[in-house]
């Protein structure tokens, strides 16, 4: 009888598992900004390389950790524009795994305060009404101008011309001063203010004195005519 034997060497199983990949990137960026996108990649055998593409073009490759790509946001990119970054990780068996991140372009924040100027009468008497006005400007528009004195808001005007009126308290002493503040606020919440000072003066006397003249009805020739007067005024009679 005859017999035969056969032997075989069993090699390692082929690597068919793709790398696992996660992209870490900001969700928003300003025009002209430089942002870093990092790929966190792992594989059951080992990661050979990570290739980054921006909007499907301009590929760059990283072969060592950290797997990172700097992305330059276009300076003239309009708010709302999206930049898509794709990363593809490969292992030694050429298995590939991919991940994407989207960066949305946002408008640069408005950090500039409005300009504002206030006009206040230089003098006023107790009990009188004074008119306040302000001029305010801002590149993004002025939302409102408020007027205040002694920490109390007098009025808020949402549109130009920005104006308010104020009645000087009747008991305000002569010689005192009142400080008024105009505060301009834009639509981004930035604000600026300017102040003006009103000096309190005495109420102008516009009432004439009353006067009564007393004289004889007759006088002799070459005689002396004697006259007398009675005068009164709400403040004082200076002379007759």
């Amino acid at each position: 009888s005859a017999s035969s034997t056969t032997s075989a060497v069993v090699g390692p199983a082929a690597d068919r598992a793709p790398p696992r990949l996660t992209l870490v990137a900001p969700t928003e960026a300003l025009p002209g900004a430089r942002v870093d996108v990092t790929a966190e990649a792992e594989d059951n055998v080992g990661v050979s390389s990570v290739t980054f593409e921006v909007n499907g073009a301009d590929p760059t490759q990283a072969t060592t950790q950290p797997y990172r790509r700097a992305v330059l946001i276009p300076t003239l990119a309009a708010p709302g524009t999206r930049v898509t970054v794709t990363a593809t990780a490969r292992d030694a068996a050429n298995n590939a795994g991919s991940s994407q991140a989207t960066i949305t372009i946002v408008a640069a924040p408005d950090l500039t305060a409005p300009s504002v100027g206030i006009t206040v009468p230089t003098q006023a008497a107790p009990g009188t009404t004074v008119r306040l006005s302000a001029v305010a400007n801002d590149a993004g528009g002025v939302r409102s101008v408020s007027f205040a004195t002694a920490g109390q808001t007098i009025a808020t005007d949402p549109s130009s011309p920005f104006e308010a009126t104020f009645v000087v308290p009747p008991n305000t002493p002569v010689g005192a001063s009142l400080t008024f503040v105009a505060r301009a606020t834009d639509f981004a919440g930035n604000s600026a203010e300017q102040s003006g000072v009103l000096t309190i003066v005495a109420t102008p006397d516009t009432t004439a004195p009353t006067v009564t003249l007393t004289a004889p009805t007759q006088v002799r020739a070459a005689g002396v005519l004697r006259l007398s007067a009675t005068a009164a005024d709400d403040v004082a009679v200076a002379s007759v």
Side-chain angles (χ1 to χ4, degrees), residues 107-196:
D110 178 8
L111 303 177
T112 303
S115 62
V116 60
I118 187 173
T119 300
V120 178
T122 57
Q123 296 180 335
T128 59
T129 299
V130 295
R131 175 179 172 272
L132 312 173
S133 64
V135 176
N137 294 285
D138 186 80
V142 177
R143 183 174 65 187
S144 65
V145 173
S146 63
F147 297 87
T149 185
Q152 300 296 316
T153 300
I154 301 167
T156 299
D157 195 341
S159 59
S160 180
F162 304 106
E163 296 177 332
T165 57
F166 178 77
V167 178
V168 179
N171 60 349
T172 306
V174 173
S177 62
L178 300 178
T179 300
F180 295 92
V181 177
R183 184 181 184 87
T185 304
D186 65 15
F187 290 94
N190 303 304
S191 62
E193 59 185 37
Q194 190 183 55
S195 61

Side-chain angles (χ1 to χ4, degrees), residues 1 4 52 83 91 96 106 110 117 130 151 161 164 168 172-173 175 182 188 191 194 201:
S1 64
S4 64
F52 294 90
V83 175
D91 61 15
V106 295
D110 178 8
V130 295
V168 179
T172 306
S191 62
Q194 190 183 55
V201 296

Side-chain angles (χ1 to χ4, degrees), residues 8-14:
V9 177
V10 179

Side-chain angles (χ1 to χ4, degrees), residues 8-240:
V9 177
V10 179
D15 178 12
R16 293 187 176 86
R20 295 175 298 277
L21 184 66
T22 302
L23 272 185
V24 179
T27 57
E28 297 180 339
L30 297 173
R34 177 187 181 274
V35 298
D36 287 334
V37 178
T38 302
E40 297 177 349
E42 58 181 15
D43 186 72
N44 61 326
V45 177
V47 176
S48 298
S49 66
V50 175
T51 301
F52 294 90
E53 291 184 341
V54 178
N55 291 334
D58 190 24
T60 62
Q61 189 178 84
T63 57
T64 58
Q65 294 190 33
Y67 306 111
R68 185 172 295 158
R69 164 80 184 260
V71 178
L72 297 178
I73 306 299
T75 304
L76 300 180
T81 302
R82 294 182 178 181
V83 175
T84 301
V85 181
T86 304
T88 302
R90 296 184 183 276
D91 61 15
N94 206 33
N95 300 306
S98 297
S99 181
Q100 281 190 341
T102 300
I103 304 170
T104 302
I105 310 305
V106 295
D110 178 8
L111 303 177
T112 303
S115 62
V116 60
I118 187 173
T119 300
V120 178
T122 57
Q123 296 180 335
T128 59
T129 299
V130 295
R131 175 179 172 272
L132 312 173
S133 64
V135 176
N137 294 285
D138 186 80
V142 177
R143 183 174 65 187
S144 65
V145 173
S146 63
F147 297 87
T149 185
Q152 300 296 316
T153 300
I154 301 167
T156 299
D157 195 341
S159 59
S160 180
F162 304 106
E163 296 177 332
T165 57
F166 178 77
V167 178
V168 179
N171 60 349
T172 306
V174 173
S177 62
L178 300 178
T179 300
F180 295 92
V181 177
R183 184 181 184 87
T185 304
D186 65 15
F187 290 94
N190 303 304
S191 62
E193 59 185 37
Q194 190 183 55
S195 61
V197 177
L198 171 72
T199 301
I200 305 304
V201 296
T203 303
D205 181 6
T206 58
T207 303
T210 59
V211 61
T212 301
L213 180 64
T214 302
T217 57
Q218 295 179 343
V219 64
R220 294 179 181 180
V224 176
L225 178 62
R226 298 186 181 278
L227 305 174
S228 64
T230 302
D233 187 75
D234 60 337
V235 179
V237 176
S239 66
V240 175

